[in-house]
Amino acid sequence: MTTAPLRIALTPGEPGGIGPDLALSLAQSDQTHDIVAIADPALLAERARQLQMDVTICEVSAQAPAAPAPQGQLNVLPIALQAPAQAGQLNPANARYVLDTLDAAIDGCTAHHFDALVTGPVHKGVINEADIAFSGHTEYLAQRTDTELVVMMLATEGLRVALVTTHLPLKDVAAAITPERLEAITRILQQDMQRKFGIAEPQILVCGLNPHAGEGGHLGREEIEVIEPVLERLRREGFALNGPLPADTLFTPKYLQNADAVLAMYHDQGLPVLKYKGFGQAVNITLGLPIIRTSVDHGTALDLAGSGRADSGSLHTALNYACNMAQARGHLTNS
Ligand SMILES: NC(=O)C1=CN([C@@H]2O[C@H](COP(=O)(O)OP(=O)(O)OC[C@H]3O[C@@H](n4cnc5c(N)ncnc54)[C@H](O)[C@@H]3O)[C@@H](O)[C@H]2O)C=CC1
Ligand SMILES: NCC(=O)COP(=O)(O)O
Protein backbone atom coordinates (compact mmCIF):
# COMPACT_ATOMS: atom_id res chain seq x y z
CA MET A 1 0.00 0.00 0.00
CA THR A 2 1.41 3.42 -0.93
CA THR A 3 0.55 6.42 1.22
CA ALA A 4 0.70 10.12 0.37
CA PRO A 5 3.99 11.75 1.36
CA LEU A 6 3.96 13.58 4.66
CA ARG A 7 5.36 17.04 5.21
CA ILE A 8 7.61 17.22 8.28
CA ALA A 9 9.05 20.41 9.79
CA LEU A 10 12.65 19.96 10.95
CA THR A 11 14.27 22.61 13.14
CA PRO A 12 18.07 22.10 13.15
CA GLY A 13 18.25 24.14 16.39
CA GLU A 14 21.44 25.78 17.62
CA PRO A 15 23.30 27.09 14.53
CA GLY A 16 26.72 26.48 16.12
CA GLY A 17 25.89 22.85 16.93
CA ILE A 18 25.51 19.66 14.94
CA GLY A 19 21.87 20.29 13.98
CA PRO A 20 22.74 21.87 10.59
CA ASP A 21 25.17 18.99 9.85
CA LEU A 22 22.44 16.43 10.59
CA ALA A 23 19.86 18.25 8.47
CA LEU A 24 22.30 18.30 5.55
CA SER A 25 22.98 14.58 5.97
CA LEU A 26 19.38 13.92 4.90
CA ALA A 27 20.34 14.99 1.37
CA GLN A 28 22.50 11.86 1.07
CA SER A 29 19.48 9.88 -0.10
CA ASP A 30 16.10 10.29 -1.78
CA GLN A 31 13.40 11.20 0.73
CA THR A 32 10.09 9.33 1.01
CA HIS A 33 8.52 12.29 2.81
CA ASP A 34 8.99 16.04 2.43
CA ILE A 35 11.37 16.99 5.24
CA VAL A 36 11.56 20.78 5.38
CA ALA A 37 14.46 22.23 7.35
CA ILE A 38 13.46 25.56 8.93
CA ALA A 39 16.74 27.43 8.99
CA ASP A 40 18.94 30.04 7.36
CA PRO A 41 19.81 28.82 3.82
CA ALA A 42 23.19 30.60 3.93
CA LEU A 43 24.08 28.83 7.19
CA LEU A 44 23.27 25.47 5.61
CA ALA A 45 25.17 26.28 2.41
CA GLU A 46 28.24 27.34 4.41
CA ARG A 47 28.09 24.23 6.62
CA ALA A 48 27.73 22.03 3.52
CA ARG A 49 30.85 23.68 2.09
CA GLN A 50 32.71 23.05 5.37
CA LEU A 51 31.60 19.41 5.33
CA GLN A 52 32.47 19.11 1.63
CA MET A 53 28.91 18.02 0.86
CA ASP A 54 27.31 18.80 -2.47
CA VAL A 55 23.79 19.84 -1.45
CA THR A 56 21.30 21.97 -3.37
CA ILE A 57 19.33 24.15 -0.98
CA CYS A 58 15.79 24.43 -2.34
CA GLU A 59 13.83 27.24 -0.70
CA VAL A 60 10.15 26.44 -0.12
CA SER A 61 7.21 28.23 1.45
CA ALA A 62 5.29 27.10 4.52
CA GLN A 63 2.17 26.39 2.46
CA ALA A 64 3.79 24.46 -0.42
CA PRO A 65 2.45 20.96 -1.14
CA ALA A 66 4.50 17.98 0.04
CA ALA A 67 7.32 17.33 -2.44
CA PRO A 68 9.96 14.89 -1.12
CA ALA A 69 13.49 16.00 -2.00
CA PRO A 70 15.59 13.86 -4.34
CA GLN A 71 19.12 12.84 -3.33
CA GLY A 72 21.40 15.88 -3.20
CA GLN A 73 18.64 18.35 -2.29
CA LEU A 74 17.45 19.76 1.03
CA ASN A 75 14.13 21.61 1.19
CA VAL A 76 14.42 24.71 3.36
CA LEU A 77 11.89 27.17 4.75
CA PRO A 78 14.11 30.26 5.13
CA ILE A 79 14.53 32.07 8.44
CA ALA A 80 17.40 34.57 8.67
CA LEU A 81 20.16 34.32 11.26
CA GLN A 82 20.54 37.36 13.50
CA ALA A 83 24.35 37.15 13.44
CA PRO A 84 26.93 35.06 11.58
CA ALA A 85 27.24 31.52 12.97
CA GLN A 86 30.33 29.36 13.20
CA ALA A 87 30.43 25.64 13.83
CA GLY A 88 31.33 24.95 17.44
CA GLN A 89 30.63 28.46 18.69
CA LEU A 90 27.68 29.82 20.60
CA ASN A 91 26.40 33.34 20.11
CA PRO A 92 23.54 34.72 22.25
CA ALA A 93 22.72 37.04 19.33
CA ASN A 94 21.25 34.00 17.57
CA ALA A 95 18.97 32.94 20.44
CA ARG A 96 16.08 34.81 18.82
CA TYR A 97 16.81 33.04 15.51
CA VAL A 98 16.56 29.64 17.21
CA LEU A 99 13.17 30.54 18.69
CA ASP A 100 12.02 32.05 15.37
CA THR A 101 12.63 28.72 13.65
CA LEU A 102 10.67 26.94 16.37
CA ASP A 103 7.82 29.45 16.17
CA ALA A 104 7.59 29.01 12.39
CA ALA A 105 7.50 25.25 12.83
CA ILE A 106 4.85 25.33 15.57
CA ASP A 107 2.69 27.75 13.59
CA GLY A 108 3.10 25.56 10.49
CA CYS A 109 2.00 22.47 12.43
CA THR A 110 -1.00 24.14 14.04
CA ALA A 111 -2.04 25.50 10.61
CA HIS A 112 -1.68 21.92 9.22
CA HIS A 113 1.00 22.96 6.71
CA PHE A 114 3.14 20.28 8.36
CA ASP A 115 2.12 16.87 9.69
CA ALA A 116 4.67 16.84 12.49
CA LEU A 117 7.64 18.64 14.01
CA VAL A 118 11.06 17.08 14.52
CA THR A 119 13.46 19.20 16.53
CA GLY A 120 17.24 19.23 16.48
CA PRO A 121 19.16 20.25 19.58
CA VAL A 122 19.09 23.73 21.05
CA HIS A 123 21.48 25.11 23.65
CA LYS A 124 19.35 26.08 26.65
CA GLY A 125 22.16 28.04 28.29
CA VAL A 126 22.88 30.40 25.39
CA ILE A 127 19.19 31.24 25.01
CA ASN A 128 19.09 32.23 28.68
CA GLU A 129 22.25 34.26 28.19
CA ALA A 130 20.25 36.33 25.71
CA ASP A 131 17.87 37.14 28.58
CA ILE A 132 15.15 34.83 27.28
CA ALA A 133 13.85 32.47 29.93
CA PHE A 134 13.95 29.02 28.33
CA SER A 135 14.21 25.62 29.97
CA GLY A 136 13.62 23.35 26.97
CA HIS A 137 11.55 22.61 23.88
CA THR A 138 9.10 20.61 25.98
CA GLU A 139 8.10 23.53 28.17
CA TYR A 140 8.28 26.01 25.25
CA LEU A 141 5.96 23.88 23.10
CA ALA A 142 3.46 23.58 25.95
CA GLN A 143 3.45 27.35 26.39
CA ARG A 144 3.29 28.13 22.64
CA THR A 145 0.36 25.73 22.10
CA ASP A 146 -1.53 26.75 25.26
CA THR A 147 -1.23 23.26 26.66
CA GLU A 148 -1.39 23.14 30.45
CA LEU A 149 0.72 20.02 30.91
CA VAL A 150 2.84 17.86 28.64
CA VAL A 151 5.01 14.81 29.28
CA MET A 152 8.57 14.19 28.14
CA MET A 153 9.11 10.59 27.09
CA LEU A 154 12.23 9.09 25.57
CA ALA A 155 12.07 5.77 23.76
CA THR A 156 14.53 3.31 22.34
CA GLU A 157 14.25 -0.35 21.31
CA GLY A 158 12.77 -2.16 24.34
CA LEU A 159 12.45 0.81 26.72
CA ARG A 160 10.25 3.89 27.10
CA VAL A 161 10.86 6.32 29.94
CA ALA A 162 8.48 9.18 30.77
CA LEU A 163 9.23 11.88 33.34
CA VAL A 164 7.08 13.45 36.05
CA THR A 165 9.38 16.49 36.21
CA THR A 166 11.69 17.79 33.47
CA HIS A 167 14.12 20.70 33.55
CA LEU A 168 14.38 21.96 37.09
CA PRO A 169 17.09 21.97 39.73
CA LEU A 170 17.31 18.76 41.76
CA LYS A 171 16.62 20.66 44.97
CA ASP A 172 13.15 21.59 43.63
CA VAL A 173 12.12 18.13 42.44
CA ALA A 174 10.43 16.76 45.57
CA ALA A 175 8.19 19.79 45.98
CA ALA A 176 7.21 19.65 42.30
CA ILE A 177 5.87 16.10 42.62
CA THR A 178 2.39 16.99 43.85
CA PRO A 179 -0.54 14.55 43.76
CA GLU A 180 -2.20 16.72 41.10
CA ARG A 181 0.87 16.73 38.86
CA LEU A 182 1.56 13.03 39.26
CA GLU A 183 -2.04 12.12 38.49
CA ALA A 184 -2.25 14.39 35.45
CA ILE A 185 1.08 13.17 34.05
CA THR A 186 0.07 9.54 34.53
CA ARG A 187 -3.21 10.17 32.74
CA ILE A 188 -1.42 11.79 29.75
CA LEU A 189 1.03 8.88 29.60
CA GLN A 190 -1.78 6.30 29.72
CA GLN A 191 -3.83 8.13 27.08
CA ASP A 192 -0.96 8.63 24.65
CA MET A 193 0.25 5.04 25.05
CA GLN A 194 -3.24 4.04 23.97
CA ARG A 195 -3.80 6.61 21.24
CA LYS A 196 -0.32 7.14 19.81
CA PHE A 197 1.14 3.67 20.38
CA GLY A 198 -1.99 1.51 20.11
CA ILE A 199 -1.44 -0.21 23.48
CA ALA A 200 -4.93 -0.85 24.88
CA GLU A 201 -3.89 -1.56 28.49
CA PRO A 202 -0.43 -0.09 29.03
CA GLN A 203 1.61 -1.71 31.79
CA ILE A 204 3.39 1.15 33.54
CA LEU A 205 6.19 0.83 36.10
CA VAL A 206 6.42 3.79 38.49
CA CYS A 207 9.67 4.73 40.22
CA GLY A 208 9.82 5.88 43.81
CA LEU A 209 11.52 9.20 44.48
CA ASN A 210 13.82 8.23 47.31
CA PRO A 211 16.46 5.51 47.61
CA HIS A 212 14.74 2.12 48.09
CA ALA A 213 11.43 3.89 47.38
CA GLY A 214 11.67 5.53 50.80
CA GLU A 215 12.47 2.36 52.79
CA GLY A 216 9.05 2.32 54.42
CA GLY A 217 9.23 6.01 55.26
CA HIS A 218 12.71 5.91 56.85
CA LEU A 219 14.37 7.44 53.76
CA GLY A 220 11.65 9.90 52.74
CA ARG A 221 7.86 9.97 52.89
CA GLU A 222 6.88 11.06 49.35
CA GLU A 223 6.12 7.45 48.38
CA ILE A 224 3.68 7.04 51.29
CA GLU A 225 2.15 10.50 51.24
CA VAL A 226 2.03 11.32 47.51
CA ILE A 227 2.87 8.53 45.09
CA GLU A 228 1.07 5.49 46.54
CA PRO A 229 -2.28 7.26 47.11
CA VAL A 230 -2.31 8.57 43.50
CA LEU A 231 -1.44 5.17 42.08
CA GLU A 232 -4.10 3.50 44.20
CA ARG A 233 -6.73 5.95 42.99
CA LEU A 234 -5.81 5.37 39.34
CA ARG A 235 -5.64 1.59 39.80
CA ARG A 236 -9.27 1.70 40.91
CA GLU A 237 -10.03 3.24 37.48
CA GLY A 238 -8.27 0.34 35.78
CA PHE A 239 -4.76 1.74 35.24
CA ALA A 240 -2.12 -1.04 35.31
CA LEU A 241 0.47 0.66 37.53
CA ASN A 242 3.24 -1.19 39.35
CA GLY A 243 5.00 0.93 41.96
CA PRO A 244 6.36 2.93 43.55
CA LEU A 245 9.36 0.66 42.96
CA PRO A 246 12.98 1.35 43.96
CA ALA A 247 14.47 2.89 40.81
CA ASP A 248 17.76 1.03 41.15
CA THR A 249 16.14 -2.38 40.67
CA LEU A 250 13.17 -1.36 38.53
CA PHE A 251 15.45 -1.04 35.48
CA THR A 252 16.15 -4.80 35.36
CA PRO A 253 14.73 -7.40 32.95
CA LYS A 254 12.47 -8.96 35.63
CA TYR A 255 10.37 -5.80 35.69
CA LEU A 256 10.99 -4.38 32.23
CA GLN A 257 10.10 -7.48 30.23
CA ASN A 258 6.36 -6.99 30.76
CA ALA A 259 6.32 -3.20 30.90
CA ASP A 260 5.24 -0.76 28.18
CA ALA A 261 6.69 2.32 29.89
CA VAL A 262 8.52 3.46 32.99
CA LEU A 263 7.43 6.63 34.79
CA ALA A 264 10.49 8.21 36.42
CA MET A 265 10.20 11.02 38.93
CA TYR A 266 12.95 13.22 37.50
CA HIS A 267 15.25 13.74 34.52
CA ASP A 268 18.43 12.08 35.80
CA GLN A 269 16.58 9.16 37.40
CA GLY A 270 15.28 7.88 34.07
CA LEU A 271 17.31 9.30 31.21
CA PRO A 272 20.79 7.97 32.04
CA VAL A 273 19.38 4.42 31.89
CA LEU A 274 17.61 5.14 28.61
CA LYS A 275 20.72 6.69 27.10
CA TYR A 276 22.94 3.85 28.35
CA LYS A 277 20.67 1.47 26.47
CA GLY A 278 20.09 3.45 23.31
CA PHE A 279 21.99 6.74 22.98
CA GLY A 280 22.15 7.63 19.31
CA GLN A 281 19.15 5.44 18.43
CA ALA A 282 16.57 6.95 20.78
CA VAL A 283 13.84 9.54 20.35
CA ASN A 284 12.35 12.19 22.61
CA ILE A 285 8.57 12.52 22.23
CA THR A 286 6.38 15.20 23.79
CA LEU A 287 3.12 13.60 24.92
CA GLY A 288 -0.07 15.57 25.49
CA LEU A 289 0.55 18.20 22.77
CA PRO A 290 -2.02 19.07 20.10
CA ILE A 291 0.75 18.59 17.50
CA ILE A 292 3.16 15.69 16.92
CA ARG A 293 6.65 16.52 18.12
CA THR A 294 9.67 14.25 18.30
CA SER A 295 13.31 15.13 18.82
CA VAL A 296 16.82 13.76 18.82
CA ASP A 297 18.10 12.17 22.05
CA HIS A 298 21.29 14.23 22.14
CA GLY A 299 22.40 17.82 22.59
CA THR A 300 24.26 20.33 20.48
CA ALA A 301 27.61 18.46 20.54
CA LEU A 302 29.55 21.64 19.79
CA ASP A 303 32.76 19.60 19.73
CA LEU A 304 31.55 17.75 16.61
CA ALA A 305 29.87 20.56 14.64
CA GLY A 306 31.34 20.91 11.16
CA SER A 307 33.55 17.82 11.62
CA GLY A 308 31.47 15.26 9.72
CA ARG A 309 31.57 12.95 12.77
CA ALA A 310 28.06 13.59 14.10
CA ASP A 311 25.96 10.42 14.09
CA SER A 312 22.52 10.88 12.49
CA GLY A 313 20.98 7.72 14.03
CA SER A 314 18.79 9.56 16.51
CA LEU A 315 17.56 12.03 13.87
CA HIS A 316 16.44 9.10 11.72
CA THR A 317 14.71 7.51 14.73
CA ALA A 318 12.98 10.81 15.50
CA LEU A 319 11.85 11.19 11.86
CA ASN A 320 10.58 7.58 11.74
CA TYR A 321 8.57 8.02 14.94
CA ALA A 322 7.11 11.32 13.74
CA CYS A 323 6.08 9.81 10.39
CA ASN A 324 4.58 6.70 12.02
CA MET A 325 2.65 8.80 14.51
CA ALA A 326 1.39 11.14 11.76
CA GLN A 327 0.31 8.17 9.62
CA ALA A 328 -1.42 6.53 12.60
CA ARG A 329 -3.23 9.80 13.34
CA GLY A 330 -4.31 10.10 9.69
CA HIS A 331 -5.53 6.53 9.80
CA LEU A 332 -7.59 7.21 12.94
CA THR A 333 -9.00 10.41 11.42
CA ASN A 334 -10.02 8.59 8.24
CA SER A 335 -11.54 5.54 9.93
N1 LIG B 1 16.89 18.11 22.20
C1 LIG B 1 17.62 19.10 22.68
O1 LIG B 1 17.42 20.26 22.32
C2 LIG B 1 18.70 18.81 23.66
C3 LIG B 1 19.57 19.81 23.97
N2 LIG B 1 20.58 19.58 24.85
C4 LIG B 1 21.48 20.71 25.08
O2 LIG B 1 22.72 20.44 24.44
C5 LIG B 1 23.74 21.16 25.12
C6 LIG B 1 24.95 20.26 25.31
O3 LIG B 1 24.58 19.18 26.15
P1 LIG B 1 25.51 17.97 26.56
O4 LIG B 1 25.09 17.55 27.89
O5 LIG B 1 26.95 18.34 26.32
O6 LIG B 1 25.10 16.78 25.59
P2 LIG B 1 25.45 16.44 24.09
O7 LIG B 1 24.49 15.38 23.69
O8 LIG B 1 25.51 17.64 23.24
O9 LIG B 1 26.93 15.82 24.12
C7 LIG B 1 27.27 14.74 24.99
C8 LIG B 1 28.35 13.89 24.30
O10 LIG B 1 27.75 13.12 23.25
C9 LIG B 1 28.38 13.38 22.00
N3 LIG B 1 27.33 13.43 21.00
C10 LIG B 1 26.14 14.10 21.11
N4 LIG B 1 25.44 13.95 20.00
C11 LIG B 1 26.16 13.16 19.17
C12 LIG B 1 25.95 12.65 17.84
N5 LIG B 1 24.81 12.91 17.14
N6 LIG B 1 26.91 11.90 17.29
C13 LIG B 1 28.03 11.61 17.97
N7 LIG B 1 28.29 12.06 19.24
C14 LIG B 1 27.37 12.82 19.81
C15 LIG B 1 29.08 14.73 22.17
O11 LIG B 1 30.15 14.87 21.28
C16 LIG B 1 29.47 14.70 23.64
O12 LIG B 1 30.67 13.99 23.78
C17 LIG B 1 23.12 21.66 26.44
O13 LIG B 1 22.87 23.03 26.31
C18 LIG B 1 21.81 20.92 26.54
O14 LIG B 1 20.79 21.66 27.16
C19 LIG B 1 20.76 18.38 25.45
C20 LIG B 1 19.92 17.36 25.17
C21 LIG B 1 18.81 17.49 24.26
N1 LIG C 1 17.46 15.54 28.13
C1 LIG C 1 16.42 15.82 27.21
C2 LIG C 1 16.41 17.24 26.88
O1 LIG C 1 17.05 18.06 27.50
C3 LIG C 1 15.57 17.65 25.76
O2 LIG C 1 14.69 18.59 26.22
P1 LIG C 1 13.73 19.34 25.23
O3 LIG C 1 14.50 20.47 24.66
O4 LIG C 1 13.23 18.38 24.23
O5 LIG C 1 12.65 19.81 26.15
PDB file of all heavy atoms in Angstrom, residues 124 136-139 152 167 267 271 275 284 293, ligand 2:
ATOM      1  N   LYS A 124      20.222  25.351  25.714  1.00  0.00           N
ATOM      2  CA  LYS A 124      19.351  26.076  26.647  1.00  0.00           C
ATOM      3  C   LYS A 124      20.096  27.235  27.302  1.00  0.00           C
ATOM      4  O   LYS A 124      19.540  28.318  27.516  1.00  0.00           O
ATOM      5  CB  LYS A 124      18.805  25.110  27.700  1.00  0.00           C
ATOM      6  CG  LYS A 124      17.965  23.986  27.092  1.00  0.00           C
ATOM      7  CD  LYS A 124      17.817  22.822  28.043  1.00  0.00           C
ATOM      8  CE  LYS A 124      17.025  21.655  27.481  1.00  0.00           C
ATOM      9  NZ  LYS A 124      17.611  20.979  26.307  1.00  0.00           N
ATOM     10  N   GLY A 136      13.562  24.467  27.915  1.00  0.00           N
ATOM     11  CA  GLY A 136      13.622  23.346  26.974  1.00  0.00           C
ATOM     12  C   GLY A 136      12.494  23.446  25.966  1.00  0.00           C
ATOM     13  O   GLY A 136      11.533  24.190  26.155  1.00  0.00           O
ATOM     14  N   HIS A 137      12.632  22.647  24.873  1.00  0.00           N
ATOM     15  CA  HIS A 137      11.550  22.608  23.884  1.00  0.00           C
ATOM     16  C   HIS A 137      10.233  22.194  24.534  1.00  0.00           C
ATOM     17  O   HIS A 137       9.161  22.713  24.186  1.00  0.00           O
ATOM     18  CB  HIS A 137      11.829  21.524  22.823  1.00  0.00           C
ATOM     19  CG  HIS A 137      12.907  21.810  21.849  1.00  0.00           C
ATOM     20  ND1 HIS A 137      14.180  21.300  21.979  1.00  0.00           N
ATOM     21  CD2 HIS A 137      12.895  22.501  20.684  1.00  0.00           C
ATOM     22  CE1 HIS A 137      14.903  21.664  20.936  1.00  0.00           C
ATOM     23  NE2 HIS A 137      14.151  22.403  20.134  1.00  0.00           N
ATOM     24  N   THR A 138      10.316  21.202  25.424  1.00  0.00           N
ATOM     25  CA  THR A 138       9.101  20.607  25.983  1.00  0.00           C
ATOM     26  C   THR A 138       8.228  21.684  26.614  1.00  0.00           C
ATOM     27  O   THR A 138       7.026  21.785  26.316  1.00  0.00           O
ATOM     28  CB  THR A 138       9.502  19.543  27.026  1.00  0.00           C
ATOM     29  OG1 THR A 138      10.417  18.634  26.398  1.00  0.00           O
ATOM     30  CG2 THR A 138       8.298  18.771  27.536  1.00  0.00           C
ATOM     31  N   GLU A 139       8.839  22.489  27.474  1.00  0.00           N
ATOM     32  CA  GLU A 139       8.103  23.532  28.171  1.00  0.00           C
ATOM     33  C   GLU A 139       7.686  24.630  27.189  1.00  0.00           C
ATOM     34  O   GLU A 139       6.585  25.182  27.276  1.00  0.00           O
ATOM     35  CB  GLU A 139       8.960  24.131  29.291  1.00  0.00           C
ATOM     36  CG  GLU A 139       9.412  23.122  30.358  1.00  0.00           C
ATOM     37  CD  GLU A 139      10.636  22.301  29.980  1.00  0.00           C
ATOM     38  OE1 GLU A 139      11.134  22.442  28.834  1.00  0.00           O
ATOM     39  OE2 GLU A 139      11.113  21.521  30.819  1.00  0.00           O
ATOM     40  N   MET A 152       7.392  14.566  28.919  1.00  0.00           N
ATOM     41  CA  MET A 152       8.572  14.194  28.142  1.00  0.00           C
ATOM     42  C   MET A 152       8.774  12.681  28.247  1.00  0.00           C
ATOM     43  O   MET A 152       8.832  12.139  29.346  1.00  0.00           O
ATOM     44  CB  MET A 152       9.833  14.901  28.664  1.00  0.00           C
ATOM     45  CG  MET A 152      11.066  14.598  27.823  1.00  0.00           C
ATOM     46  SD  MET A 152      12.624  15.148  28.565  1.00  0.00           S
ATOM     47  CE  MET A 152      12.464  16.898  28.483  1.00  0.00           C
ATOM     48  N   HIS A 167      12.914  19.877  33.399  1.00  0.00           N
ATOM     49  CA  HIS A 167      14.123  20.695  33.545  1.00  0.00           C
ATOM     50  C   HIS A 167      13.993  21.615  34.751  1.00  0.00           C
ATOM     51  O   HIS A 167      13.570  22.758  34.611  1.00  0.00           O
ATOM     52  CB  HIS A 167      14.363  21.504  32.271  1.00  0.00           C
ATOM     53  CG  HIS A 167      14.633  20.644  31.082  1.00  0.00           C
ATOM     54  ND1 HIS A 167      13.842  20.634  29.955  1.00  0.00           N
ATOM     55  CD2 HIS A 167      15.605  19.734  30.845  1.00  0.00           C
ATOM     56  CE1 HIS A 167      14.315  19.768  29.077  1.00  0.00           C
ATOM     57  NE2 HIS A 167      15.390  19.213  29.597  1.00  0.00           N
ATOM     58  N   HIS A 267      14.409  13.849  35.717  1.00  0.00           N
ATOM     59  CA  HIS A 267      15.253  13.736  34.519  1.00  0.00           C
ATOM     60  C   HIS A 267      16.391  12.727  34.687  1.00  0.00           C
ATOM     61  O   HIS A 267      16.520  11.752  33.935  1.00  0.00           O
ATOM     62  CB  HIS A 267      15.800  15.155  34.249  1.00  0.00           C
ATOM     63  CG  HIS A 267      16.524  15.371  32.966  1.00  0.00           C
ATOM     64  ND1 HIS A 267      17.843  15.048  32.788  1.00  0.00           N
ATOM     65  CD2 HIS A 267      16.121  15.913  31.784  1.00  0.00           C
ATOM     66  CE1 HIS A 267      18.227  15.386  31.579  1.00  0.00           C
ATOM     67  NE2 HIS A 267      17.191  15.909  30.932  1.00  0.00           N
ATOM     68  N   LEU A 271      16.649   9.157  32.520  1.00  0.00           N
ATOM     69  CA  LEU A 271      17.313   9.301  31.214  1.00  0.00           C
ATOM     70  C   LEU A 271      18.703   8.683  31.114  1.00  0.00           C
ATOM     71  O   LEU A 271      19.069   8.189  30.036  1.00  0.00           O
ATOM     72  CB  LEU A 271      17.329  10.783  30.792  1.00  0.00           C
ATOM     73  CG  LEU A 271      15.930  11.388  30.591  1.00  0.00           C
ATOM     74  CD1 LEU A 271      16.013  12.722  29.869  1.00  0.00           C
ATOM     75  CD2 LEU A 271      14.996  10.443  29.837  1.00  0.00           C
ATOM     76  N   LYS A 275      19.611   6.349  28.016  1.00  0.00           N
ATOM     77  CA  LYS A 275      20.717   6.694  27.103  1.00  0.00           C
ATOM     78  C   LYS A 275      21.813   5.629  27.156  1.00  0.00           C
ATOM     79  O   LYS A 275      22.505   5.399  26.166  1.00  0.00           O
ATOM     80  CB  LYS A 275      21.252   8.095  27.431  1.00  0.00           C
ATOM     81  CG  LYS A 275      20.226   9.180  27.062  1.00  0.00           C
ATOM     82  CD  LYS A 275      20.797  10.592  27.044  1.00  0.00           C
ATOM     83  CE  LYS A 275      19.708  11.592  26.649  1.00  0.00           C
ATOM     84  NZ  LYS A 275      20.197  12.969  26.516  1.00  0.00           N
ATOM     85  N   ASN A 284      13.032  11.451  21.551  1.00  0.00           N
ATOM     86  CA  ASN A 284      12.355  12.185  22.612  1.00  0.00           C
ATOM     87  C   ASN A 284      10.993  12.608  22.043  1.00  0.00           C
ATOM     88  O   ASN A 284      10.935  13.243  20.993  1.00  0.00           O
ATOM     89  CB  ASN A 284      13.236  13.399  22.956  1.00  0.00           C
ATOM     90  CG  ASN A 284      12.614  14.353  23.949  1.00  0.00           C
ATOM     91  OD1 ASN A 284      11.463  14.209  24.339  1.00  0.00           O
ATOM     92  ND2 ASN A 284      13.396  15.353  24.345  1.00  0.00           N
ATOM     93  N   ARG A 293       5.279  16.021  18.016  1.00  0.00           N
ATOM     94  CA  ARG A 293       6.648  16.525  18.117  1.00  0.00           C
ATOM     95  C   ARG A 293       7.582  15.414  18.620  1.00  0.00           C
ATOM     96  O   ARG A 293       7.353  14.824  19.663  1.00  0.00           O
ATOM     97  CB  ARG A 293       6.752  17.709  19.076  1.00  0.00           C
ATOM     98  CG  ARG A 293       8.180  18.281  19.207  1.00  0.00           C
ATOM     99  CD  ARG A 293       8.913  17.768  20.420  1.00  0.00           C
ATOM    100  NE  ARG A 293      10.302  18.229  20.482  1.00  0.00           N
ATOM    101  CZ  ARG A 293      11.028  18.221  21.595  1.00  0.00           C
ATOM    102  NH1 ARG A 293      10.532  17.803  22.729  1.00  0.00           N
ATOM    103  NH2 ARG A 293      12.284  18.612  21.562  1.00  0.00           N
TER     104      ARG A 293
HETATM  105  N1  LIG B   2      17.455  15.537  28.129  1.00  0.00           N
HETATM  106  C1  LIG B   2      16.425  15.823  27.214  1.00  0.00           C
HETATM  107  C2  LIG B   2      16.414  17.240  26.880  1.00  0.00           C
HETATM  108  O1  LIG B   2      17.055  18.056  27.497  1.00  0.00           O
HETATM  109  C3  LIG B   2      15.570  17.650  25.761  1.00  0.00           C
HETATM  110  O2  LIG B   2      14.689  18.587  26.215  1.00  0.00           O
HETATM  111  P1  LIG B   2      13.726  19.344  25.228  1.00  0.00           P
HETATM  112  O3  LIG B   2      14.495  20.473  24.660  1.00  0.00           O
HETATM  113  O4  LIG B   2      13.233  18.377  24.228  1.00  0.00           O
HETATM  114  O5  LIG B   2      12.649  19.814  26.148  1.00  0.00           O
END
